[in-house]
Amino acid sequence: MMETRCCFLLFFFSEWIYLFLLTTILGGTKAEVRCIPRCQLPLVAATPRERRGLDQTYFDAAPGEEYYGFGEESFSASGDEKEVAAELTVSAESSFKVQPRPEENETSGLQRDGDRQKLSHPSLSPSGPNNASEERDIILNLTAFGRRGRRSAETWSGFRSQGIDDTSVSDQGDFQLTSSTFALAGDTAHNQAMVHWSGQNSSVILMLTKFYDFNAGRVTESSLWRSTDYGTTYEKLNEKVGTKSILSYLYVSPNNKRKIMLLTDPEVESSLLISLDEGASYQKYSLGFDILSLLFHPEQEDWILAYSHDQKLYVSVEFGRKWQLVHNNVVPNRFYWSRLGLDKDQGMIHLEITVAVGRSQYITCKLQNCSDGNKGKPFPGFIIPNSLVVQDEYVFIQVSVSGQAVHYVSYKRKAFYPMKLPKYTVPKDLQIISTDENQVLAAIQDWHQNDSYNLYMSDYRGLFFTLMLEDVVSTGGPEDNVMIDLYEVAGIKGVFLSNKVVENQVKTYITYNKGRDWRLLQAPTTDLQGNKVYCEQPYCSLHLHLHVSENPYASGNIVSKDTAPGVIIASGVLGPELSNANVSIFITSDAGNTWREVFQEAYSVFFLNQGGSLVAIRHTPLPIRHIWLSFDEGRNWDKYSFTSSPLYVDGVLGEPGEDILIMTIFGHFSHRSEWQLLKIDFRPIFERRCTSVDYITWQLDNEGEICIMGMKRIFQKLRANARCVKARDQYISQMSDSCPCTEADFECDYGFERQLDGSCTSAFWFVPSASTQDCITGDSFFNTTGYRKALSNNCTDGSLLKYSPRQQKCPSRAPRGLQLFTSEGTFVATLGRNVTFLVFLEEGLGSMTSITVDFGDGTAISYVNISSIDDGVKHIYNKVGIYQVSATAVNNLGFDKVLLYLHVSCQLEQVQLSAPLVVIKNKAVNFTATLRPSSVGTVTYFWWFDNKIEPFVTLDAAMSFTFSKEGSRTVTVQVVAGNTVHQDRIRVAVYDYFRSHPLVFSSNLDELNPGVSEWREDIGRVVKTCLVQVTGISEDQILVTVLAGLPTTAEVFIVPERRTRDRAMDEKWAHLDQLSQVLLSALNQDLIKFTLKPGLEVNVYATRLSPAPLVDGSDSGHSGTAVIMLVSVVLMALAIFVIYKLKRKIPGMHTYSTEQPDKEQEVIPAVTSIAVPNPEGDELTSLDHVDLQLDSKSRGYLPSHTDIKLSDEAPHVF
């Protein structure tokens, strides 16, 4: 009975290049394989040779998923001329996830074959496809390939390869295979293919061929083919799906292989084509979004989650016919279906959503109702982005605490707790590799490591971790993922292979008890020619390539199968360390105790008939017509002809299921011919069904020790040369019997380390506690002896009691290790918003320990025990400030207290920098930053003066600075309040001396003052233009700034000429005084005015009287009132003149004078923004011109304005 499989294969073709897509190959082309969820691509390359006899140890190999291509498990013998290696990406979890876009990130997991492959290790989560079913959907991209030649260097035994060229071998005596060929007419240019072979008693094969235009970056042509006779003939279905439709991806329901889904290219149209009859007919449905990835439900065949390019998640419960939006801002690949028995609802979804930059949140919601009221928050705080992993019984997240990532785990959807790593382990990176058998296997890169990781194994809760192996090799995998050199052997629990760095050399180690003990691999006793191999440990041993390197010239990989226990095929070398030179193919039939070298040239080997036979195909750029079969696990090979005309082989697809008796070879008869699909039927080779007499038994051992992981395990294997068809109901996988427990069945517990004599003693940092958090009842607990039995170990009696934890009465202890932090992992909270405090107690009688949280604002809350606050404690602050928050744990034996200082702030909206517009050189000037709102909490100020690189940092809003050079200077202030940063910048003019006069405007301007800076800039520019035109003063000597607020006011500055440095200071001052008289004269005579809009004229006045004598220009006689007014004015002018000479400021008159050599500096009003010209310019104002203006202008009278209010907002200068 054939098991259904779904496989997507993507092939790229080029002239004079040739590829294989074999399940057991290790090399040949750079490939990316995406599996749903645990697809196996066991691929082996081998060199054909004539039949020869070897020792008669019987063993068996079984296939698993037979989708063959140059993927991660591919093999090849590497010589001087190496071909590009392949890359495999596999991710598996509790549900199906398909990545339909080539650019999607994939993660690579623990190297493992067999039907149970579900291991992955991204940054706490696999980001690629995930699935719980045995169904596999594969996308294989073949993007680079090369040619592999025969190895010329001598092996460790000193022989050279004796491979035979396929084209030079005579056909005399060749066995013939039953085969048929079908040409895909019209698809000559297509360079990609996706294949689905239903299997499971179905003869249907679907193939989607495409032409991918690399220049355009998209698919431009496609064809859909369907076979109903195991690939003998195919029907083209383009008319059924629409001749104008361009298909990009093919999907199959993992729970019902009759349901097919085709995705069109979104560049042309966004739609789905759905078939419910195994691809015979299709119905098209339009999509309102572009699908980036799909996640099928592990049990419900019609339930699908779809992720779009705009980070939206959609759900369909009708197999894609209708879609409904679930949530926005979903993190890519961080969404998971619920698991029955662990989650409350089968239709629940686990999501990680983005809530702010650098912040994510873990939520759960129901399938078709993800409103705020129906969302669950299993973890109350924020998490580090892209850190959520929901895998089996465990949920993993990362939380930022004081700037460091803290890893949390939840077991069986219960409360989250920090993962307990050995003290002083400071992870730079943590990868979850496996969650099998109620244990978490993690790879951690410690603070001092760069290209290696340490392996850790947890207890059943995933909480306490102990060291498994140090310095394991790591490399960068596809899509910048991490590849760990760790391989779990399929079919035998507890057997792992790993590459470890030892004194700068990479060596391969094997363990039979899940990492408790490791040893080097024994080298073969003889080489391929039967010569004795001299390779003694520890100086020489066998080293294996355990995964495909990202380096395209790196060799090989490794494969094993659940249905072939004990059989491992891998590429490797003999010597002191692992290398990429002189790589051969090695096979072991006893789970790694002994190894044999079988091939040196590049051949691909895969399994037929549940491992009852092997098939080898040669890697060569030449056309071939032969394959080799072995019925005794590679000891002898028979050559078979599968085609009369030599074929350039592009790839091989095996029938899904365990039987594997039909294969399809993809290729071309010439480099420009159409695709040829050559079907090979191996069934006629096998004479009958296997019976019990065709099997023998094999017992697992580790260098003679038969008790492994507490069991004696005996397996059944097919006899050598038994040409019978194996049936699964006849295949008995293993028989086991438990063993008495010994010290070898126990690993060191958390806080203990293994010594040279094998014993476990307490680490220097570990203080064994008589009370743990397990003592929640106050009755008893299991106190460790320093050892713990591996969860998958089944030993009984013996030394079990000696090493097992001892049950003791929980002694009452004072609480210890109290921890308090916010859910966001920061020390900042926002005014008026909920802040969640998390409290953890490492030791103490939890059920008898009360907790009190004092928020520091006069309020506190108490709980009878710590379990009452698993979801955190929420509080809202109503005032900004720094609060001392404390948590106190108390029981009848003592207490523990922890403090946290929380900065509560409100949102800073604006900062405004105020300073004088013009300042005196070498005189300190004050700058002030005004905040809005004025009270926002703890604030830090960063000041930059005159384009300096390093800022001044203060906690005060005021800063004093002295400018030593004249010119225009820039001042910048940045204000940091919580997570908010605001900035303001002004320019000030630095001079030795200057004059300034305040200005006011006619009241009609106030009615049209919008209070915005741009309006003030425009008014200032207009006033400056009028002053320059009326007075004739150079525009370089006039600066105007309009102040904020009402009534509208301004200030005009008269600055020195650019070329007056030769004059004496008295002349310079006299020149500025004359310019001031001209300016004031123009203002007093109402000569400065401008039109704001048609019919609205605005006058500009000085806020004090001019010192010039007033002249009445009327023809009438002088009235008494006029005389009195004239006398008053003269007296007032005289008083002003005296004060002016003394250079003292009259309060309220806003008149300023800069420093003269023998006089005191005046006070300058605080103004800000200024744009001044360079004081070194060329333009010069003529004194004669000024005198003419003074003589020709009549003097006017200006009423005073005394109710002017100046704002502290920064003015703008022109």
Side-chain angles (χ1 to χ4, degrees):
M1 179 177 180
M2 292 179 294
E3 181 182 357
T4 303
R5 295 291 185 269
C6 177
C7 182
F8 298 158
L9 297 178
L10 231 66
F11 308 100
F12 298 166
F13 303 101
S14 177
E15 288 191 1
W16 302 103
I17 297 175
Y18 152 110
L19 299 172
F20 291 100
L21 307 179
L22 299 174
T23 306
T24 53
I25 301 177
L26 267 185
T29 183
K30 182 177 179 65
E32 176 181 284
V33 184
R34 302 180 181 181
C35 307
I36 307 175
R38 300 187 298 274
C39 62
Q40 280 67 34
L41 293 164
L43 308 175
V44 183
T47 302
R49 60 188 183 279
E50 296 182 359
R51 300 172 58 179
R52 65 186 190 90
L54 296 176
D55 60 302
Q56 299 298 315
T57 301
Y58 296 105
F59 57 98
D60 172 52
E65 271 62 51
E66 301 304 328
Y67 306 122
Y68 309 111
F70 296 113
E72 185 167 348
E73 290 99 346
S74 60
F75 294 82
S76 59
S78 173
D80 293 340
E81 185 181 14
K82 303 184 183 72
E83 68 178 340
V84 179
E87 298 174 349
L88 171 68
T89 298
V90 178
S91 175
E93 297 177 37
S94 58
S95 52
F96 295 83
K97 184 180 290 184
V98 184
Q99 302 293 338
R101 292 289 182 267
E103 64 271 14
E104 266 300 282
N105 287 339
E106 302 294 332
T107 53
S108 300
L110 173 87
Q111 306 305 314
R112 173 175 172 183
D113 299 290
D115 297 336
R116 295 177 53 261
Q117 182 170 354
K118 55 182 296 182
L119 309 179
S120 57
H121 50 87
S123 297
L124 270 185
S125 171
S127 63
N130 53 74
N131 216 327
S133 165
E134 293 182 353
E135 177 62 29
R136 279 65 169 160
D137 291 342
I138 304 174
I139 301 176
L140 179 61
N141 296 323
L142 302 182
T143 58
F145 28 80
R147 175 177 177 177
R148 187 185 296 269
R150 182 164 50 187
R151 184 176 70 199
S152 60
E154 294 186 0
T155 65
W156 279 90
S157 59
F159 74 90
R160 293 181 180 272
S161 174
Q162 301 297 325
I164 304 174
D165 192 348
D166 180 56
T167 58
S168 65
V169 178
S170 172
D171 291 343
Q172 184 175 359
D174 290 351
F175 299 98
Q176 300 295 321
L177 290 172
T178 302
S179 64
S180 61
T181 304
F182 185 86
L184 298 183
D187 289 352
T188 304
H190 289 193
N191 53 12
Q192 294 183 358
M194 303 176 70
V195 182
H196 164 64
W197 195 335
S198 291
Q200 207 172 43
N201 294 328
S202 174
S203 60
V204 173
I205 301 176
L206 286 176
M207 176 179 290
L208 174 62
T209 65
K210 302 176 291 182
F211 174 71
Y212 185 85
D213 189 334
F214 290 94
N215 293 325
R218 52 181 291 265
V219 176
T220 57
E221 295 179 15
S222 67
S223 295
L224 183 64
W225 300 83
R226 184 173 186 262
S227 173
T228 58
D229 52 10
Y230 289 100
T232 303
T233 59
Y234 287 83
E235 176 189 3
K236 196 169 187 178
L237 303 181
N238 283 25
E239 292 186 358
K240 291 186 177 181
V241 300
T243 55
K244 295 183 179 180
S245 296
I246 298 178
L247 307 177
S248 56
Y249 292 95
L250 169 68
Y251 304 99
V252 181
S253 170
N255 301 297
N256 184 349
K257 305 306 179 293
R258 294 184 60 82
K259 293 187 175 182
I260 311 293
M261 180 182 296
L262 294 169
L263 182 64
T264 62
D265 188 342
E267 295 289 337
V268 179
E269 61 175 334
S270 185
S271 61
L272 288 174
L273 288 97
I274 296 175
S275 172
L276 304 179
D277 52 9
E278 211 166 3
S281 61
Y282 294 88
Q283 189 170 1
K284 181 178 289 188
Y285 297 88
S286 296
L287 284 174
F289 59 96
D290 186 12
I291 293 179
L292 187 62
S293 63
L294 294 177
L295 183 68
F296 291 91
H297 195 279
E299 298 170 358
Q300 299 292 330
E301 63 185 50
D302 290 336
W303 291 10
I304 309 173
L305 292 175
Y307 187 75
S308 67
H309 281 283
D310 54 357
Q311 296 187 334
K312 294 181 179 180
L313 188 67
Y314 297 83
V315 65
S316 174
V317 294
E318 301 180 27
F319 197 70
R321 289 184 286 272
K322 293 182 180 179
W323 296 91
Q324 177 180 337
L325 178 65
V326 176
H327 208 285
N328 296 315
N329 300 320
V330 178
V331 178
N333 299 308
R334 303 297 172 181
F335 46 92
Y336 308 85
W337 285 110
S338 60
R339 180 170 173 178
L340 192 62
L342 291 173
D343 297 289
K344 297 179 181 179
D345 191 345
Q346 187 182 27
M348 181 181 293
I349 307 171
H350 299 265
L351 301 171
E352 179 183 336
I353 60 173
T354 301
V355 294
V357 177
R359 290 183 181 179
S360 293
Q361 194 167 38
Y362 168 32
I363 67 170
T364 59
C365 58
K366 294 183 179 180
L367 182 64
Q368 293 179 302
N369 188 1
C370 202
S371 60
D372 291 337
N374 289 298
K375 292 179 184 177
K377 295 182 179 179
F379 186 79
F382 295 113
I383 66 175
I384 294 177
N386 208 41
S387 68
L388 174 66
V389 177
V390 181
Q391 190 163 316
D392 296 330
E393 291 88 358
Y394 305 93
V395 179
F396 304 94
I397 59 173
Q398 295 181 48
V399 178
S400 178
V401 178
S402 300
Q404 291 186 343
V406 178
H407 301 269
Y408 281 77
V409 62
S410 166
Y411 177 62
K412 290 189 175 180
R413 309 303 190 260
K414 296 180 182 179
F416 282 90
Y417 292 98
M419 297 165 61
K420 294 292 186 179
L421 302 172
K423 196 173 183 180
Y424 307 118
T425 298
V426 183
K428 290 195 301 185
D429 186 33
L430 188 149
Q431 307 283 343
I432 298 299
I433 295 180
S434 168
T435 54
D436 282 350
E437 300 174 340
N438 290 324
Q439 271 187 307
V440 178
L441 176 58
I444 296 176
Q445 188 173 58
D446 213 343
W447 61 272
H448 62 278
Q449 295 176 310
N450 293 317
D451 298 321
S452 62
Y453 281 68
N454 296 336
L455 299 179
Y456 291 86
M457 190 71 72
S458 78
D459 63 346
Y460 71 94
R461 295 174 298 176
L463 190 59
F464 294 94
F465 285 79
T466 58
L467 184 64
M468 178 178 175
L469 185 64
E470 290 183 295
D471 296 321
V472 177
V473 175
S474 67
T475 54
E479 305 293 340
D480 296 327
N481 293 304
V482 176
M483 302 291 294
I484 306 296
D485 270 22
L486 177 68
Y487 181 84
E488 182 176 7
V489 177
I492 305 177
K493 297 291 186 182
V495 181
F496 289 83
L497 289 160
S498 184
N499 285 329
K500 170 182 169 68
V501 180
V502 181
E503 297 180 351
N504 297 322
Q505 292 183 326
V506 177
K507 299 177 181 289
T508 302
Y509 288 79
I510 189 170
T511 179
Y512 290 84
N513 51 13
K514 210 167 185 179
R516 183 194 181 278
D517 302 292
W518 297 83
R519 64 174 174 85
L520 293 169
L521 294 179
Q522 187 64 47
T525 57
T526 60
D527 61 21
L528 194 60
Q529 281 71 32
N531 301 318
K532 182 176 178 61
V533 174
Y534 297 95
C535 185
E536 298 295 332
Q537 296 184 9
Y539 309 105
C540 176
S541 59
L542 175 62
H543 309 288
L544 304 177
H545 292 277
L546 300 183
H547 70 86
V548 172
S549 171
E550 195 170 14
N551 181 352
Y553 296 100
S555 289
N557 213 319
I558 184 169
V559 63
S560 60
K561 287 292 182 180
D562 282 335
T563 52
V567 178
I568 308 171
I569 308 174
S571 65
V573 298
L574 298 176
E577 63 176 329
L578 182 66
S579 70
N580 293 323
N582 300 331
V583 177
S584 297
I585 304 301
F586 298 89
I587 294 180
T588 177
S589 59
D590 54 8
N593 283 285
T594 61
W595 295 81
R596 294 178 291 115
E597 184 182 30
V598 292
F599 300 117
Q600 290 181 327
E601 287 189 316
Y603 270 72
S604 301
V605 180
F606 57 94
F607 298 103
L608 290 180
N609 188 29
Q610 299 190 55
S613 59
L614 302 175
V615 176
I617 303 179
R618 188 185 180 197
H619 286 212
T620 174
L622 302 175
I624 63 172
R625 52 183 176 178
H626 297 104
I627 61 176
W628 283 259
L629 271 70
S630 174
F631 300 93
D632 55 5
E633 292 191 335
R635 293 176 173 84
N636 298 281
W637 295 90
D638 296 329
K639 185 170 66 173
Y640 285 79
S641 174
F642 66 90
T643 176
S644 58
S645 300
L647 182 73
Y648 292 96
V649 176
D650 299 314
V652 178
L653 175 66
E655 175 190 12
E658 302 297 338
D659 294 341
I660 316 298
L661 296 175
I662 300 176
M663 289 175 50
T664 297
I665 297 180
F666 304 84
H668 298 76
F669 288 128
S670 69
H671 291 297
R672 300 187 180 277
S673 68
E674 298 168 328
W675 286 24
Q676 304 294 325
L677 303 183
L678 197 147
K679 169 189 171 184
I680 303 177
D681 192 344
F682 294 99
R683 288 176 294 184
I685 298 177
F686 300 96
E687 304 164 353
R688 54 185 172 80
R689 288 278 182 179
C690 295
T691 63
S692 59
V693 298
D694 295 309
Y695 292 90
I696 61 171
T697 60
W698 167 74
Q699 186 170 30
L700 174 67
D701 73 281
N702 176 16
E703 294 186 325
E705 175 59 52
I706 61 175
C707 284
I708 299 176
M709 297 295 289
M711 292 182 296
K712 299 176 182 177
R713 284 178 279 185
I714 301 175
F715 300 86
Q716 281 192 338
K717 293 189 175 184
L718 195 64
R719 291 181 180 274
N721 297 313
R723 298 196 181 187
C724 59
V725 178
K726 295 173 64 176
R728 272 180 287 179
D729 56 357
Q730 296 175 331
Y731 182 79
I732 302 175
S733 60
Q734 71 176 44
M735 297 171 288
S736 60
D737 187 16
S738 62
C739 298
C741 291
T742 65
E743 190 268 344
D745 294 306
F746 293 84
E747 60 191 15
C748 292
D749 205 349
Y750 174 78
F752 292 80
E753 297 174 343
R754 188 169 300 281
Q755 305 302 311
L756 295 178
D757 60 359
S759 63
C760 296
T761 60
S762 176
F764 77 94
W765 50 265
F766 182 68
V767 179
S769 174
S771 176
T772 68
Q773 203 166 4
D774 290 333
C775 290
I776 58 176
T777 63
D779 296 332
S780 62
F781 77 106
F782 288 95
N783 192 19
T784 181
T785 61
Y787 298 84
R788 70 183 186 190
K789 190 175 73 169
L791 295 179
S792 55
N793 191 297
N794 294 319
C795 72
T796 58
D797 301 328
S799 302
L800 182 61
L801 294 178
K802 177 181 178 181
Y803 296 104
S804 297
R806 297 181 177 90
Q807 187 172 8
Q808 298 179 5
K809 184 177 180 179
C810 285
S812 297
R813 289 181 60 107
R816 190 168 71 95
L818 188 64
Q819 300 179 38
L820 172 67
F821 51 90
T822 65
S823 61
E824 300 181 20
T826 65
F827 302 100
V828 179
T830 302
L831 182 71
R833 295 185 182 179
N834 260 321
V835 55
T836 302
F837 296 96
L838 303 179
V839 184
F840 293 97
L841 181 64
E842 290 186 355
E843 294 183 8
L845 198 59
S847 61
M848 303 294 292
T849 302
S850 64
I851 299 292
T852 300
V853 179
D854 188 333
F855 301 107
D857 61 350
T859 60
I861 187 170
S862 297
Y863 298 87
V864 294
N865 55 63
I866 196 168
S867 61
S868 305
I869 54 176
D870 286 342
D871 294 333
V873 183
K874 292 179 171 44
H875 186 66
I876 297 177
Y877 289 90
N878 297 317
K879 292 183 179 180
V880 299
I882 302 177
Y883 294 88
Q884 178 181 281
V885 186
S886 65
T888 306
V890 180
N891 62 24
N892 57 355
L893 292 179
F895 72 95
D896 193 14
K897 186 175 182 178
V898 62
L899 299 177
L900 182 150
Y901 293 93
L902 185 69
H903 295 247
V904 177
S905 61
C906 65
Q907 187 73 24
L908 176 62
E909 298 177 0
Q910 184 182 16
V911 58
Q912 181 176 303
L913 181 58
S914 301
L917 176 64
V918 183
V919 301
I920 302 299
K921 184 180 71 172
N922 295 326
K923 292 293 183 180
V925 59
N926 292 327
F927 295 86
T928 303
T930 304
L931 308 182
R932 193 175 65 188
S934 60
S935 180
V936 295
T938 306
V939 177
T940 305
Y941 299 84
F942 296 84
W943 306 84
W944 284 270
F945 294 95
D946 205 11
N947 298 322
K948 293 185 179 297
I949 298 176
E950 294 296 329
F952 295 95
V953 182
T954 69
L955 298 178
D956 194 358
M959 181 68 182
S960 179
F961 189 79
T962 301
F963 295 97
S964 60
K965 295 181 179 180
E966 288 186 291
S968 178
R969 301 289 180 255
T970 300
V971 180
T972 302
V973 62
Q974 284 188 347
V975 181
V976 180
N979 296 324
T980 304
V981 179
H982 281 280
Q983 170 180 302
D984 193 16
R985 177 181 290 122
I986 64 172
R987 295 180 68 87
V988 296
V990 182
Y991 289 97
D992 282 330
Y993 58 96
F994 62 88
R995 296 288 193 195
S996 67
H997 302 279
L999 304 176
V1000 295
F1001 301 89
S1002 54
S1003 59
N1004 55 358
L1005 182 63
D1006 294 340
E1007 300 174 359
L1008 299 176
N1009 187 343
V1012 296
S1013 60
E1014 291 82 359
W1015 183 86
R1016 292 192 294 272
E1017 291 175 9
D1018 291 337
I1019 296 297
R1021 184 171 55 253
V1022 171
V1023 172
K1024 178 178 179 178
T1025 301
C1026 292
L1027 290 173
V1028 171
Q1029 291 176 351
V1030 172
T1031 64
I1033 301 175
S1034 170
E1035 64 177 11
D1036 293 335
Q1037 289 189 262
I1038 295 181
L1039 305 176
V1040 178
T1041 177
V1042 178
L1043 306 178
L1046 293 175
T1048 307
T1049 59
E1051 190 162 8
V1052 58
F1053 293 86
I1054 303 176
V1055 297
E1057 298 174 298
R1058 294 183 179 181
R1059 294 184 178 179
T1060 59
R1061 302 188 184 276
D1062 300 342
R1063 302 180 182 180
M1065 185 57 67
D1066 291 339
E1067 295 182 12
K1068 296 178 182 179
W1069 276 109
H1071 180 54
L1072 286 190
D1073 290 341
Q1074 291 174 345
L1075 294 181
S1076 296
Q1077 293 178 20
V1078 172
L1079 186 67
L1080 291 174
S1081 176
L1083 291 168
N1084 291 340
Q1085 298 179 74
D1086 294 339
L1087 299 179
I1088 309 301
K1089 60 183 67 177
F1090 60 91
T1091 301
L1092 188 64
K1093 65 179 183 179
L1096 180 61
E1097 189 174 70
V1098 177
N1099 292 340
V1100 184
Y1101 310 106
T1103 57
R1104 67 176 178 84
L1105 296 179
S1106 170
L1110 299 177
V1111 177
D1112 184 12
S1114 63
D1115 296 331
S1116 61
H1118 301 287
S1119 66
T1121 303
V1123 172
I1124 295 173
M1125 182 177 294
L1126 179 59
V1127 172
S1128 299
V1129 168
V1130 170
L1131 292 176
M1132 183 178 295
L1134 180 61
I1136 293 174
F1137 180 78
V1138 172
I1139 294 174
Y1140 175 78
K1141 286 298 184 179
L1142 295 177
K1143 297 295 184 288
R1144 297 296 186 214
K1145 177 182 176 182
I1146 296 179
M1149 298 189 67
H1150 304 284
T1151 303
Y1152 306 92
S1153 175
T1154 58
E1155 182 182 27
Q1156 295 191 41
D1158 57 346
K1159 298 180 180 179
E1160 184 179 352
Q1161 181 182 2
E1162 294 291 326
V1163 179
I1164 302 173
V1167 294
T1168 53
S1169 300
I1170 177 171
V1172 300
N1174 189 339
E1176 304 298 328
D1178 298 329
E1179 189 171 345
L1180 184 65
T1181 301
S1182 171
L1183 294 179
D1184 296 336
H1185 177 66
V1186 173
D1187 293 338
L1188 286 174
Q1189 289 186 326
L1190 289 174
D1191 293 339
S1192 60
K1193 301 292 183 181
S1194 60
R1195 308 306 193 251
Y1197 175 79
L1198 179 64
S1200 62
H1201 295 260
T1202 59
D1203 58 344
I1204 298 175
K1205 296 180 181 179
L1206 298 180
S1207 169
D1208 59 358
E1209 184 176 348
H1212 300 274
V1213 180
F1214 302 92

